[in-house]
Amino acid sequence: MKDDTITPDEGNLRSSRASGSEILNNINSVLRNRQRQPSVQSQPTVYNQFIIQIDQYKHKIYTYGKLPFLIILIPVIAYIFYRFNTPKPSQLPLSDINAPAILLIGKAGAGKSTLGNLLLGTYEDEKPTFNFSDSFSTVTQNSSFARIQIGDENYNIVDTPGIFDTDNPNEVVLEKISRTIQKCAYGIKAILFVIEAKRFTIEQKEMVDRIKLFLGKESLQYMISVFSHCSRKQTEDLEYFKKFSWNQEIKAFVNSMGSRWAISPNPESYPPNNPVRKQRLEDLKNHIVSIDGKYTNELLEKVWKEQEENERKTREEEVKRQKEYDESKKREGEAIARKNYEKQRAEDERKANERRKMEIKNIKDTLLIQINILSEKVANLTKDNESLNEKVANLTKEHERGEHEKAEHEKAKENQNCFGLETQVELESGRIIQMSELKTGDRVLSNIRNGIAEYSEVCLIAHIGKLEHEEEFAKISFTRPDGSKGQLRLTTTHYVFDENLSIILAKDLRPGETKILVSNDNNKLVSVFVDDVTIELHDKYIRFHTRAESVIADGVLCSCYDQCPPSQTLMDLVFLPIRLWTYFIPTK
């Protein structure tokens, strides 16, 4: 009778350190020997325990014995998956140009990039779609775009640098405007004009005129005013914002755009799931989709057709490249086929880049034609003005001396809008200079808003030096906030700003009654009374214009205009052709 005690062979099996396959063979041999033994009555408990132990051991052997096989199999499966699911070299996505653009414009630092990221939902991302800065400096240097879906429609939202700011070099700004137009070729769904709620400036109104110049007057029908940097009260109560924060200029500005306006919520005050943030962004999206159709013009259509043709060429080159790759792979193998493919792809990409550069060049050429037309109009206007001045001079010579001649002389004198040469201004570098040292291109302090100094480029110096005759100048005396005395000397018909930001002639200032705006050491404009106004005769002066058409002279906020209707806004429009002319054709 076979004893149910574990045999020495079985004990050796438990303690064996043999390899997995050897142990498995031993176990199977033991089991076969047991099957050949005569069937006898045994103690079930001991036998069953043995069988259970053997089965458990076999399970471990099979499980761990598979590891080397799995280690080899997993990379093979991964390679097969990669080989058959990774796109072939030719399957590179082409840029989708068949989508209208949502154009973000505004002064540098107004919050265009922040608004774009809010609409895209990427503001809180580690790498938001559009770069922005928490400092006062601007980050966006070139126009960039991203795909956005509003409702069921896809759009390209385009973030622009300060392409409509007034103080960029002409070649640079033309390049950036051209690249922006290139991204809008399919048409413009909406132009989002981002304005700081507390900094509506003359330059922003000029920006609208430049948009009309480059995109066409009809583009204003697709514009939406978006106010940034609003307070919580302004953001949450729209009626309050409209009633107490808008002046007549802002009202007229918004009305000129079809009364479409919205607020860009401050993401630092309103996190992503905040209902106010959601509602303000939803308001803006509703304005966007409410605009019928899309805006286009002759230039955009021309660029669009050129882009379509270039895309067609790119697709044909891709198909040809893929076909050659497949044929070469069959004949010469994968390595040679891929090498030839990459070489051809580099050449095709070079051609595509050349075509895109040609698109930019064609846009710039078209813009230059428009600028030249404008320059011709300005030149004709200048000639007409010179002819008129010559006629006036001849008429004056023919008149007899007397009251009529005196009146004509007074009228001629009133046409001067001048500062004394010793008048001081502050450059952007912080240096204080006399106006006699000014040059075109210098950036001078032109205004202070909300504690932020604004500097504007001197775009034109009409005259500097000595007059042929003495001119009446008003010497304005005032007391600064710190108690020190100040003076400003300028022609009697020159305008300065009063405490309400209206312009008033120097000769109309009333001591003890009229308040003017004076800068203090805390980088603010404060209103102070005029102490005295006296009339003096001088024969040296400077006449110049900044792009903002304002300047802080000897600490006083002054206009660059004189002898004109008392409206800074109206005169900004009248002088727009001159500023645009000097913007693209700098003059000394």
Side-chain angles (χ1 to χ4, degrees), residues 396 399-412:
T396 303
H399 284 324
E400 294 181 355
R401 294 183 180 275
E403 291 298 321
H404 187 67
E405 185 179 89
K406 182 180 178 181
E408 288 296 319
H409 181 65
E410 292 299 323
K411 183 177 180 180

Side-chain angles (χ1 to χ4, degrees), residues 379-429:
N380 292 334
L381 181 63
T382 304
K383 289 179 181 178
D384 292 341
N385 193 32
E386 291 174 352
S387 176
L388 180 61
N389 289 339
E390 185 179 353
K391 290 178 181 179
V392 172
N394 293 335
L395 181 61
T396 303
K397 289 179 182 179
E398 293 173 0
H399 284 324
E400 294 181 355
R401 294 183 180 275
E403 291 298 321
H404 187 67
E405 185 179 89
K406 182 180 178 181
E408 288 296 319
H409 181 65
E410 292 299 323
K411 183 177 180 180
K413 289 200 297 181
E414 286 179 348
N415 287 329
Q416 307 297 336
N417 55 324
C418 326
F419 292 95
L421 290 178
E422 78 286 352
T423 307
Q424 293 186 332
V425 292
E426 179 184 330
L427 299 180
E428 192 169 24
S429 63

Side-chain angles (χ1 to χ4, degrees), residues 521-570:
D521 295 335
N522 296 324
N523 211 25
K524 291 183 179 180
L525 288 177
V526 295
S527 58
V528 300
F529 281 111
V530 173
D531 294 336
D532 190 28
V533 178
T534 58
I535 304 301
E536 302 177 346
L537 294 177
H538 296 278
D539 62 354
K540 294 180 180 179
Y541 75 99
I542 180 172
R543 178 182 180 182
F544 69 96
H545 290 267
T546 65
R547 297 205 180 280
E549 293 295 1
S550 63
V551 62
I552 294 181
D554 280 337
V556 179
L557 180 61
C558 302
S559 171
C560 290
Y561 300 128
D562 107 323
Q563 194 56 27
C564 62
S567 171
Q568 186 81 7
T569 302
L570 175 61

